[in-house]
Amino acid sequence: MKKASPSLELQNAQFETKCLHSDRGIEKNSELAPPIHVTASFTPNDEGMLYSRSHAVTRSRAETVLGTLEGGKAILYSSGVAATFAFLSLYKPAKIAISGGYHGTHNVINALKFSSNLQNFEIIDHDSLDGLKKGDVIWLESPRNPTLEVEDLRYFVEKAKAVEARTLR
């Protein structure tokens, strides 16, 4: 599959221009306002589109635009649980501060705690942030699922920055 990369003319472009044009080149005949492809499979072609779990035009366009706007690369997942698993498996924090929230997140954390990847990490509550260190993670959901509690994101970001920990929200 062909991945678009921002052309030199887009590197200094305005935010709005990057939103509209950074996915140029994903398809041979790109529309300015492309359709959303909701199909599960594609006819094999030279762009590598065959099956939507591995490649999909809509996802490729969104990843390209988001990556351009963020100044890097973006990866989209089909679910929050998949993104949670990928992040924790690759980042491997020593400590995760989490309070309440989506049960699927806790299931992933507990599953990884028993795997060889993260056997030695610690789970703490948001009320116990004093021991955070560089590389630890404060996991935030706001509004929190399923209770709809709103977290003070600024407070947690400041706590994390003070010790070079990360917030994931």
Side-chain angles (χ1 to χ4, degrees):
M1 177 178 80
K2 183 178 180 182
K3 280 282 191 186
S5 57
S7 63
L8 292 175
E9 66 201 46
L10 284 178
Q11 289 180 353
N12 297 319
Q14 297 287 333
F15 178 83
E16 294 83 356
T17 302
K18 289 179 181 180
C19 287
L20 288 173
H21 298 289
S22 60
D23 63 343
R24 218 180 314 161
I26 295 277
E27 295 180 273
K28 287 181 184 176
N29 299 314
S30 292
E31 300 91 350
L32 183 58
I36 295 174
H37 299 281
V38 294
T39 186
S41 58
F42 301 90
T43 303
N45 58 41
D46 58 351
E47 295 171 1
M49 302 294 176
L50 177 62
Y51 186 60
S52 65
R53 287 190 185 178
S54 58
H55 300 93
V57 177
T58 302
R59 185 172 60 239
S60 296
R61 284 177 170 270
E63 287 174 341
T64 300
V65 171
L66 291 171
T68 300
L69 296 176
E70 292 291 329
K73 293 193 181 273
I75 301 172
L76 297 180
Y77 291 91
S78 59
S79 72
V81 169
T84 299
F85 181 83
F87 172 80
L88 293 175
S89 294
L90 294 171
Y91 190 67
K92 299 178 183 153
K95 192 176 291 185
I96 301 171
I98 185 169
S99 292
Y102 179 59
H103 73 279
T105 302
H106 292 275
N107 290 344
V108 169
I109 291 170
N110 288 328
L112 287 172
K113 188 168 176 112
F114 294 105
S115 76
S116 59
N117 288 341
L118 292 171
Q119 286 181 354
N120 298 317
F121 79 95
E122 181 182 358
I123 302 169
I124 62 170
D125 192 80
H126 283 167
D127 296 330
S128 308
L129 299 179
D130 293 336
L132 285 180
K133 297 178 182 158
K134 182 177 182 175
D136 291 338
V137 170
I138 302 175
W139 193 278
L140 301 168
E141 289 183 32
S142 192
R144 193 177 292 161
N145 179 353
T147 61
L148 299 178
E149 296 168 79
V150 176
E151 310 232 35
D152 183 352
L153 298 180
R154 180 173 286 139
Y155 167 80
F156 289 109
V157 169
E158 288 172 359
K159 288 289 243 184
K161 281 185 177 180
V163 295
E164 296 183 63
R166 291 190 175 207
T167 54
L168 193 66
R169 48 193 190 279

